[in-house]
Amino acid sequence: MFVGVDVGGTYTDAVLLDHEAVRATAKIPTRADLLESVLEALDIVLKDVDNKDLKRIVISTTVITNLIAGRKYDKVALLLIPGPGLSHRYYDFKTKTIILTGAIDYRGREIVPLDEKEIVAALSELAAEGYKKVGVAGKFSPRNSAHEKQVAAIIQEKYPDWQVELGFRAGPQLNFPRRAATTYLTCATREPYRNFVNSVRQALEKRKISAEVFILKADGGTMPLDKSVEQPVETIFSGPAASTLGVQALTPPDETEVVVDIGGTTTDIALILNGQPLLSAKGARVNEQLTQVHTLAVRSVPVGGDSLLELAGDEIVFRPERLGPAYCMGGPAPTPTDALRVLGLTALGEEAKAEVAMEKLGAPLGLSAAETAGRVIDLIADSITAEVEKMFLEWEQEPAYRIWELLQKRKVRPSIVAGVGGGADGLIPQIAAKLGCDPVIPPYAPVANAVGAAVARPTLQVSLRADTEQGYYQIREEGFQGKIDKRSFNEQKALALAREKLLERAADYGLAVTPDEIEVTYREVFNMIRGWDTSGRLYDFTVQTPRGITCRIEKGGK
Amino acid sequence: MSMSNASEKPTGLIFFPAFDWAISPTHPEREERLLYTRDQIFEEGIMDLPQVSEYTPVLATTHDIAMTHFCVPRVEDQVTEAHLIAAGAAILLADEIVSGQIKNGFALVRPPGHHSMRVVHGNRGFCNINNEAIMVNYLRRRKGIKRVAIIDSDVHHGDGTQDIFWHDPDVLFISFHQDGRTIFPGTGFTNELGGPGAYARTINIPLPPGATDESLLYIVDNLILPVLSDFKPDFIVNSAGQDNHFTDPLGSMRFTAQGYARLTEKLRPDLAVLEGGYAIETALPYVNMGIILALAGLDYSAVLEPDYQKFRESADLAGQVRRMVDQLLQRWAKRDQVSISQSDMTGNYFQHTKRIYYDTDNIQENQLEKLRLCDNCPGYLSIETKANHGYGQTGGKALCLSIPIDACASCRTEAADLYEKAKKARTYSYVYLQDKSADLFLGYDTANGKEWRSEGS
Ligand SMILES: [Zn+2]
Ligand SMILES: [Zn+2]
C-alpha cells in the first residue's frame, strides 16, 4: 500500500492507495507545524492499516516555500567567479556578494587562475561580518568544477565549521546567474530542511512505520527522504506537481488536458500534453530570483472562489485580495462563490445570502442577481481561459535550435479541462466550454493532489559530457572527471558509461532500475572541425530513470 | 539580476544555430559553428535579462525568396529548410521592430547569405540566399519602409548584397572588408559605386590586412556615420560578419569583441544579422556577446577574449585608411552629379556583362545585365544568365526580369511584354518576371510550357 500526503497552504490532504484503488482519504486544515499536519493526516488514512503492509509514503510539503518566504535561515554570502562576459554590476542576489578573480571557459579550460590571497582576504571579510554559510559559484563550473572546489578547500581549511555549497552541484545547467541564485537558496535552506527531515524520520520511527519515504519535487519526480537533503530547493512548488500527477492518474491516458486548481484567491493551471505533464523550459522563479529548479509549467491567476468582487465604472471586476469567506458563508463582500451559489453550481453557503450579494453588486448596473452571477462567472472563466491560451502559445513558441525540432512543432489543443482541489468546481464547465473541451471533475478531485503524491515515482538522472579532443569525460551531477582514449571512444561507449553511472547512482539511492528502463532524454554529438579535419568529438548525454506515475487509479475504494 | 530602464523596449534575439545543418561534414560552415556561442550566451543568462527578448524563428515563404532572387530553375531547388529559417528569422525580427515590439534585433542565425546575388545557380561563399536582402525587400514591399542602409562588417566583401541593390537609389550599401586582392571574393574596391541611377549608394572600403579596431572606429566615425546622417535611412541593417576578428582562420584582420561591440553601439542598427566568422571558439562566443549587449544597451566592457590585447596599427596603415576615407567622402559629396558613360549605353539601356564564380559549387555564370533607363522611375532590369556547372555541363539560358517597387506604368508594361515574348520565343529554358510593385512573381518553364506564380498575401 502507498500513501500520498500533500501539505498545502490551507489544507493537508492524504490518501491511502491499495493497488489501483483509493482506500482512505483525509483532508485537514494545515497547522502551523507542518510535521504535525503530515502526521495528523497520516494517522487518519492509516487508522485500519497494519504498518507492515505500507510500502511507500510520498510527501509533498511547503517546508522550503515557508522557509524562504519567512527568511527562516541564517545569512548566506556568495563568492562568485564570473570571469569575462556580462558586467558584474547586473548581478544582484540580494545578499553579500564578493567577486573573485578566475575564469573557466565553455570547454572547461582554465583561462584565468584563482588568486589565493584574494580568496583569503574575502573570507576574512566574511568572517568579520559574521558569515558562516557561503555559496561558491563560477561561470562554466559544470564544465570544470576545479575552481569551486579549490575555494571550498580553502574555506574548509581556514573555517572548518562553515557550511559551503558549490554551484556545479546546486545548478548544473548552463546559466550562471541562475546557478548563483540556486546555490544561495541551497545553502540557506539545507540545515533547517535537514532538521525537518530528521523530525519526520523520528516521528515515523515512533509510529513503527518502516515504509520507504520519498519527497515530491517540483518536476513531479521524487527523492528518497534522506537524499532530498542534497537538493532541498528541488522540493519547492511541489503542490501543483502533485495535483497534475493526480489528474494524470485519475483521467484516461494519453489525453491533452488542462489541469485547473481553483483555490481561495489563486487558480493554478498546468498542462498535460498527450499524457505527459509539461515541464517549464526554464527553472522556477523563487523570491523574484530565477533559479535552475525544474518545475512543471504552472501559471497562477490571482483569482479564486473567495476573490473580492466590485464595480469599476460599469464593469464588474475582481480584486486579488481576500476579505474573508464568501458572503453566502458569512463573509463581508460578494465573491465568485456567491455567483456559483446563485446559479446553483455549488451547494456551499446560504442561497438567500448569495442572492443578496449578487443583487447588491449588480444593482447599480440594473442587473438581477442571476444576471450579475452570470457576468461574474463569465468574467472569471474568461480570465482563466486567457491564461490557458497564453500557456499553449508560450509552449508553441518555445525556442528550437535544430531544424527538425522547429519543423515538428505543431499546434496541440486540449480535449479535457480537469478541475481539482474541490474549490469552485462549478466554474470548470464554463472554462471547458470556452476552450471547446469536455469538463471533467475526476473522482477524488478534492484530494487529487494527495493521489498525485502517492503515484509519483523516483527519478534520477546522469549527464555525461565527453570531449575527445581534450581526452576526458565528466559526470555533471558529481563533478567527476575521468580520462578517455581519444581514438576508441565513441557514442556507444559514451552512452554505456552514462548508463553505468546512472545505475550506480540508482543503487546509492536504493532504487531498483534495470538497464532497459533507462531513457536517453538528451543527446548532443558534435564533430569538432579544425582546419578541414575532424579533431575530436563532443558528446553530451542525459540519461534518466523512467518518468511518469506508478499506476492509474482504476476503481474506487471505500 | 537587476532590472534597469524597465520602460525601454527589449532587444529581440533569434538564436538559430542550425545544429543539424552543414554544407559538408568538414566544411567551416558546420553544425558546431555556433556551439560555443550557445554555451556562452546560455551560461551568461542573456535570455533572462529583461533587456533581451528571445524569439523562435518562422520559415520565410518561397515567395519572399522569389521577390529578391531568381533561383534557377526554382526556389525549391536552391534552398533547404535551414535557409528558409535563417531568412524567416530576419523577417520576423524586422516585423517586430517596425511594429514597435522591440527596439532592435539580432538574427544570430546560420546559414549566412551576403555572397548570394540576385541570380542563384548554387552556393557561393557558403551562401545560397541573401537573408538581409530578402528581409529588406519584404520591409519595402509590405511595411512601407522606403530608405534602408545596409552596413556589412564581414571580412569578405558583401558582393551578393551589392549586386542585389546595385541599381537601387533607396538602399545604401556600405561594406568594409579585407582588401579584395588578398581574400575571397576578390571584389569590393573603392571604384565599385553602384549603377547609373544609384551612384555612391554602394560604398566599398577595402582595408589593408592587419587593420585593428582603431581603423574600424575611424571609418565608422568619419565615413559611415556622416554618410548615414546625409542618407537618412528609415531602417539600418548590419550584416554582422565576425571574421574580421584577430583570431579568424579565413581573414587577416585584427578586430576584437570590444571593437565589434563599439561598432554596434555607434552604428545603432535596427537589425543585425550574423554573416561569417569562423573562429568559432576564440571569437564568436565573445563577439556575439558583445553585439547582443551593445544592442541591448548593456555594459559590455567585461567581454574580453582570453588572449585579448590592444593591437597597435602602423602609421602607414592608418594613413592609408584615412586617405581612402577622404576620397570616398568626396565621391559621396558628388553622388548626384554623375552622368553615365556613353560606351555603356545601348539605346535606352545601360548594359554590361558579368562573370560570376560560385566557389562552393564550382559554377561559372555569365550574365548580360540591362537596365532600362527611364525618366520616371529607376527602370526595370533584365538579366540573361547562363551557368556552366563544371566539366562542360551547361545549363540552358534563363531570362530574369525585375520591376522595381516604384516602377512607372510604362516600364511595368514593357517588362511584362518582354516576359510574354520570351515565353513564346523559346530562346530561354526559363523566364522569370519579378514585379516588386505588384508583389507578384511569375516563372515559366519552356520545356514543359508550364507557368507558376506567387503573390504576396
Ligand atoms: Zn565572411
Ligand atoms: Zn519607368
Side-chain angles (χ1 to χ4, degrees), chain A residues 48-276:
Chain A
D48 305 318
V49 175
D50 182 348
N51 285 348
K52 278 195 223 90
D53 296 335
L54 191 58
K55 289 268 171 315
R56 187 175 76 210
I57 299 174
V58 183
I59 305 171
S60 153
T61 77
T62 52
V63 56
I64 290 293
T65 312
N66 294 356
L67 281 174
I68 291 172
R71 288 198 137 261
K72 292 175 204 150
Y73 49 80
D74 300 337
K75 58 183 184 176
V76 174
L78 280 174
L79 292 177
L80 301 184
I81 321 165
L86 183 68
S87 169
H88 309 154
R89 66 187 170 102
Y90 300 112
Y91 298 138
D92 179 10
F93 298 103
K94 313 253 184 283
T95 194
K96 169 91 180 175
T97 303
I98 300 178
I99 304 286
L100 299 178
T101 306
I104 302 282
D105 80 357
Y106 38 78
R107 283 184 66 199
R109 295 170 297 212
E110 177 182 76
I111 44 179
V112 179
L114 292 173
D115 176 348
E116 198 168 331
K117 272 192 202 141
E118 184 192 71
I119 296 167
V120 171
L123 295 179
S124 343
E125 187 182 330
L126 295 183
E129 292 178 30
Y131 285 94
K132 290 185 161 191
K133 294 192 172 186
V134 186
V136 183
K139 205 178 275 176
F140 287 116
S141 66
R143 297 278 163 91
N144 180 352
S145 51
H147 280 180
E148 286 181 0
K149 285 175 175 163
Q150 251 170 282
V151 174
I154 296 171
I155 297 174
Q156 211 126 58
E157 191 200 318
K158 303 222 176 271
Y159 305 95
D161 60 326
W162 286 17
Q163 182 195 336
V164 186
E165 300 296 341
L166 301 188
F168 80 95
R169 280 202 194 95
Q173 313 288 325
L174 283 185
N175 192 314
F176 171 65
R178 285 179 185 246
R179 178 175 314 123
T182 314
T183 309
Y184 168 83
L185 291 171
T186 304
C187 197
T189 57
R190 190 189 308 276
E191 199 180 298
Y193 181 79
R194 183 184 281 124
N195 294 339
F196 170 78
V197 164
N198 288 341
S199 43
V200 170
R201 183 57 73 207
Q202 282 160 16
L204 294 178
E205 271 166 22
K206 237 168 103 184
R207 283 169 169 72
K208 302 214 166 10
I209 294 174
S210 56
E212 297 178 292
V213 183
F214 292 89
I215 297 289
L216 189 66
K217 296 188 290 179
D219 67 356
T222 67
M223 288 185 281
L225 181 65
D226 294 335
K227 292 290 179 183
S228 68
V229 177
E230 289 179 12
Q231 306 284 352
V233 195
E234 304 246 315
T235 68
I236 201 166
F237 306 144
S238 59
S243 304
T244 308
L245 295 183
V247 169
Q248 206 185 342
L250 294 166
T251 56
D254 307 325
E255 293 282 354
T256 291
E257 304 173 72
V258 180
V259 180
V260 181
D261 186 346
I262 305 174
T265 54
T266 56
T267 295
D268 285 338
I269 308 166
L271 302 182
I272 297 178
L273 302 179
N274 303 314
Q276 289 301 322

Side-chain angles (χ1 to χ4, degrees), chain B residues 26-43:
Chain B
T26 59
H27 193 280
E29 194 49 67
R30 60 197 184 274
E31 294 93 340
E32 181 201 6
R33 187 169 162 228
L34 292 175
L35 178 61
Y36 314 105
T37 296
R38 188 268 318 257
D39 289 351
Q40 190 75 34
I41 64 180
F42 281 24
E43 176 69 353

Side-chain angles (χ1 to χ4, degrees), chain A residues 231-476:
Chain A
Q231 306 284 352
V233 195
E234 304 246 315
T235 68
I236 201 166
F237 306 144
S238 59
S243 304
T244 308
L245 295 183
V247 169
Q248 206 185 342
L250 294 166
T251 56
D254 307 325
E255 293 282 354
T256 291
E257 304 173 72
V258 180
V259 180
V260 181
D261 186 346
I262 305 174
T265 54
T266 56
T267 295
D268 285 338
I269 308 166
L271 302 182
I272 297 178
L273 302 179
N274 303 314
Q276 289 301 322
L278 176 65
L279 287 163
S280 119
K282 293 181 171 178
R285 185 186 286 270
V286 182
N287 244 10
E288 293 306 302
Q289 297 271 7
L290 295 168
T291 71
Q292 291 198 9
V293 176
H294 287 290
T295 65
L296 298 194
V298 178
R299 260 184 122 94
S300 286
V301 194
V303 65
D306 297 341
S307 294
L308 167 64
L309 293 170
E310 56 183 39
L311 284 188
D314 51 5
E315 270 186 66
I316 300 171
V317 295
F318 58 83
R319 299 281 175 218
E321 64 259 34
R322 178 182 193 266
L323 293 188
Y327 193 83
C328 66
M329 295 171 82
T335 67
T337 301
D338 296 310
L340 290 169
R341 187 69 179 93
V342 165
L343 298 175
L345 297 171
T346 178
L348 291 172
E350 286 175 44
E351 189 180 357
K353 277 192 177 174
E355 293 270 353
V356 171
M358 286 299 106
E359 238 168 59
K360 267 195 199 160
L361 180 66
L365 306 179
L367 298 174
S368 71
E371 285 167 338
T372 308
R375 280 215 192 171
V376 168
I377 298 308
D378 226 33
L379 168 73
I380 309 291
D382 274 340
S383 53
I384 293 173
T385 42
E387 291 300 318
V388 172
E389 295 291 2
K390 271 191 215 158
M391 281 183 88
F392 273 97
L393 193 70
E394 234 168 62
W395 174 71
E396 280 159 21
Q397 292 180 348
E398 231 161 60
Y401 305 110
R402 286 172 177 75
I403 296 159
W404 71 265
E405 281 173 354
L406 194 75
L407 297 180
Q408 68 155 16
K409 276 181 175 260
R410 57 185 198 284
K411 266 194 149 27
V412 170
R413 298 304 303 168
S415 52
I416 289 176
V417 172
V420 292
D425 283 349
L427 273 165
I428 298 300
Q430 327 290 325
I431 297 166
K434 286 183 193 289
L435 290 167
C437 293
D438 293 328
V440 171
I441 308 293
Y444 306 105
V447 291
N449 47 345
V451 171
V455 299
R457 65 194 296 181
T459 48
L460 262 186
Q461 65 171 40
V462 156
S463 303
L464 173 135
R465 182 181 164 86
D467 183 328
T468 69
E469 196 192 46
Q470 295 192 73
Y472 73 85
Y473 77 95
Q474 63 167 24
I475 301 298
R476 199 163 64 197

Side-chain angles (χ1 to χ4, degrees), chain B residues 114-115 154-156 243 276-278:
Chain B
H114 75 146
H115 295 304
D154 193 279
V155 79
H156 303 101
D243 32 17
Y278 299 93

